[in-house]
Amino acid sequence: MNVESSCLLIANAPSSLVNFRLDLIKAIQAKGHQIHVACPSMPANAPERLILQEFGAQVHDIPMNRSGLNPITDIRTCWVLWRLMHRIKPNRILGYTIKPVVWGSLAGFLAGVPQRYALIAGLGYAFVEGDSVSKKRVFVKHTAQLLYRLALNRCQRVFFQNPDDELLFRQSGILKKRIASTVVRGSGVNLDHFQAVSLPEKPAFLLIARLLIDKGVREYAQAAKRLKVQYPEARFMLVGYLDENPESISQVELDSWTSDGYIDYLGKLDDVRLALAQASCFVLPSYREGTPRSVLEALAMGRAVITTDAPGCRETVIDGENGFLVQPKSADDLTRAMEKLIQDPEQIETMGETSLQRAREEFDVHKVNAIMLKNMQF
C-alpha cells in the first residue's frame, strides 16, 4: 500500500460508514491507497470503529452536531478537521451529507488538500417544501444554500445521486459552471449481501426509514389503516426510529398506529434483510431523496417497489414494470397502488423479477464505486 497517497472520508454518523461506504473504502484500498475516516461518536470501543479498523481504515473521532445550528460548534468542527488534515496530509478528501461536505471542503481548502470532492447524498429537511413554510425552515434553507455555495465551489468535483439535485444546484447558482459534477446511481447495493429470496404467501408491505414526515410515513400509515379494513390478511410493517429532526413524527402518533393494529412496528433493525424477506412489496412515499439505499436493497432482494414520482425516488422505479410511482403526499394515490398489488399477486412476482434485474444492471455497488473512483482520479 502506498501510504504516501491517502484519502480522507468524512461522515456524520458511524453507522453510515459501515452500512453505506464500506465497499467504497475497500475499493480505495484495492487501488493501493491509505484510507482515513473522520466521524463523530467514534470512541475507542465503538463497534463501527472496530469494524472499520479491521478493514485497515485509520479512524478519527471528531466533534460534530449532526443537525444543530450552533455556529460555535460548527466552526470547531471545521478547525478540528483542518488540524487533522494538516497532520495526516491526505491527497484527497470526500465528504457526504451537509456538515461533512461544508466543513470538510472548507477545511480541505484552507489546509491545501490537492483534491477535494463532495457527495450530495440527498438534500434533506432544508430543501423539502413543507405544507406551511416556517421561518425556521426558510432560515435553514438559506443558510444551507450559502454554506453549500462557499464549500462546493472550492471542490474539484461534486457527485450527485440524482439529476434533479444537480439541476437545482446549477440553476440556483449554488454550484458554479467551472466546477465539474457527476451523477451516480446512489450508493449502490452489494448484491452478494442482499440476495433475492422467495416471496411470502400473503401480501405484506414494508417501509424502512427514519420516522420523518418527509419520508411519507404518515401517508403509509393512512393507507395501511384503510386497506387493513378491507384486506385483514395483509400485513403493513414499519422499520425505523424516531429522529431528532424537527420533522420527526411523535412517539404518541407511532403508538396509536400500533395499538390500533394496522401497523406492525419492528423497531430499528441492524439487519434489514430479515424484514425484507417477510415483505412482498417495499414502500417509500418520500417527498425527496438522493437515491434511497433502502429501495436499492429491496430491488436486490427481488421486491416490487412503490415509491413517489419525486427526485431520487423516480430513478429507482419504472412505473408499471418493477413497481408503481405515486404522487408525493397523496395517501389516496398510495392506497390505490398498494391495493393493485393485493388484488394481483402474480404482478408482485413479475415486478420483483424486474427489480432484481435492474439492481444487477444499474445499481451494483461495484459499478457505482468504479465511476466515483475514476472521477476522483484514482
Side-chain angles (χ1 to χ4, degrees):
M1 179 176 291
N2 180 9
V3 295
E4 295 182 357
S5 179
S6 63
C7 177
L8 173 63
L9 184 61
I10 310 168
N12 72 355
S15 59
S16 76
L17 282 167
V18 173
N19 295 334
F20 301 156
R21 307 294 164 208
L22 199 54
D23 287 301
L24 179 62
I25 289 170
K26 294 177 187 177
I28 292 172
Q29 290 177 318
K31 292 284 187 178
H33 302 269
Q34 174 67 59
I35 182 76
H36 294 261
V37 297
C39 184
S41 304
M42 279 287 201
N45 61 345
E48 296 89 354
R49 184 186 190 112
L50 299 177
I51 292 172
L52 291 165
Q53 288 174 339
E54 283 182 14
F55 285 96
Q58 300 293 316
V59 182
H60 307 276
D61 189 17
I62 60 171
M64 183 185 296
N65 188 340
R66 184 166 64 89
S67 60
L69 297 173
N70 188 325
I72 296 176
T73 303
D74 288 342
I75 290 172
R76 181 175 178 234
T77 297
C78 187
W79 178 68
V80 169
L81 285 169
W82 175 81
R83 286 183 58 194
L84 174 64
M85 293 175 199
H86 259 285
R87 179 165 60 85
I88 66 175
K89 295 180 171 53
N91 303 91
R92 299 171 179 83
I93 58 170
L94 172 67
Y96 65 98
T97 69
I98 183 168
K99 291 199 176 185
V101 164
V102 168
W103 303 119
S105 299
L106 291 175
F109 173 75
L110 295 172
V113 176
Q115 297 182 55
R116 303 174 296 278
Y117 302 96
L119 170 62
I120 307 301
L123 301 185
Y125 166 77
F127 287 83
V128 176
E129 298 296 339
D131 294 329
S132 59
V133 182
S134 66
K135 290 183 179 179
K136 180 179 180 181
R137 187 187 283 267
V138 172
F139 172 75
V140 170
K141 181 175 182 178
H142 288 315
T143 302
Q145 289 181 348
L146 173 62
L147 292 174
Y148 268 136
R149 188 176 293 112
L150 288 172
L152 297 181
N153 291 296
R154 286 161 178 79
C155 292
Q156 274 66 44
R157 183 178 295 272
V158 178
F159 295 96
F160 292 90
Q161 292 195 339
N162 67 68
D164 295 277
D165 289 352
E166 180 186 42
L167 182 62
L168 174 63
F169 274 50
R170 291 292 190 189
Q171 290 183 337
S172 63
I174 295 175
L175 190 63
K176 303 298 182 184
K177 291 182 179 179
R178 61 182 175 81
I179 306 298
S181 62
T182 301
V183 177
V184 293
R185 288 291 198 174
S187 304
V189 61
N190 189 313
L191 296 170
D192 293 324
H193 187 72
F194 291 92
Q195 297 185 354
V197 294
S198 58
L199 294 166
E201 293 183 5
K202 295 181 179 180
F205 298 87
L206 170 66
L207 167 58
I208 302 174
R210 287 184 294 154
L211 302 185
L212 305 178
I213 296 170
D214 297 342
K215 298 293 184 182
V217 178
R218 280 182 179 161
E219 287 83 358
Y220 178 69
Q222 291 168 14
K225 184 176 184 179
R226 298 172 187 175
L227 293 168
K228 192 69 175 178
V229 175
Q230 191 172 355
Y231 306 97
E233 77 282 2
R235 189 180 180 196
F236 305 92
M237 294 175 285
L238 177 62
V239 170
Y241 58 95
L242 298 173
D243 196 270
E244 61 188 13
N245 188 294
E247 292 294 298
S248 178
I249 67 165
S250 67
Q251 183 69 56
V252 173
E253 194 171 9
L254 176 61
D255 290 343
S256 71
W257 299 344
T258 57
S259 62
D260 288 345
Y262 53 88
I263 288 293
D264 187 359
Y265 179 54
L266 306 182
K268 180 183 178 182
L269 298 180
D270 292 328
D271 190 347
V272 297
R273 292 176 298 176
L274 301 174
L276 282 165
Q278 300 176 57
S280 49
C281 175
F282 184 78
V283 182
L284 183 64
S286 178
Y287 302 172
R288 188 182 195 110
E289 295 284 334
T291 292
R293 173 67 177 267
S294 59
V295 173
L296 304 190
E297 293 166 353
L299 299 182
M301 291 189 67
R303 268 40 188 173
V305 173
I306 298 174
T307 189
T308 50
D309 189 9
C313 298
R314 63 171 68 102
E315 278 70 39
T316 63
V317 168
I318 300 174
D319 191 42
E321 293 192 18
N322 70 309
F324 295 116
L325 293 175
V326 299
Q327 289 304 305
K329 306 182 185 181
S330 175
D332 292 340
D333 208 14
L334 179 61
T335 302
R336 285 191 290 268
M338 294 168 71
E339 187 172 28
K340 286 180 183 178
L341 294 185
I342 294 175
Q343 294 177 343
D344 189 358
E346 290 185 3
Q347 193 175 26
I348 291 178
E349 184 173 356
T350 302
M351 286 182 166
E353 292 171 355
T354 305
S355 286
L356 179 57
Q357 182 180 351
R358 293 204 72 202
R360 290 170 173 167
E361 293 177 356
E362 301 181 44
F363 297 105
D364 184 337
V365 68
H366 301 300
K367 294 180 180 180
V368 173
N369 287 340
I371 293 172
M372 290 194 65
L373 294 183
K374 180 180 179 181
N375 283 279
M376 291 174 69
Q377 302 178 46
F378 276 104

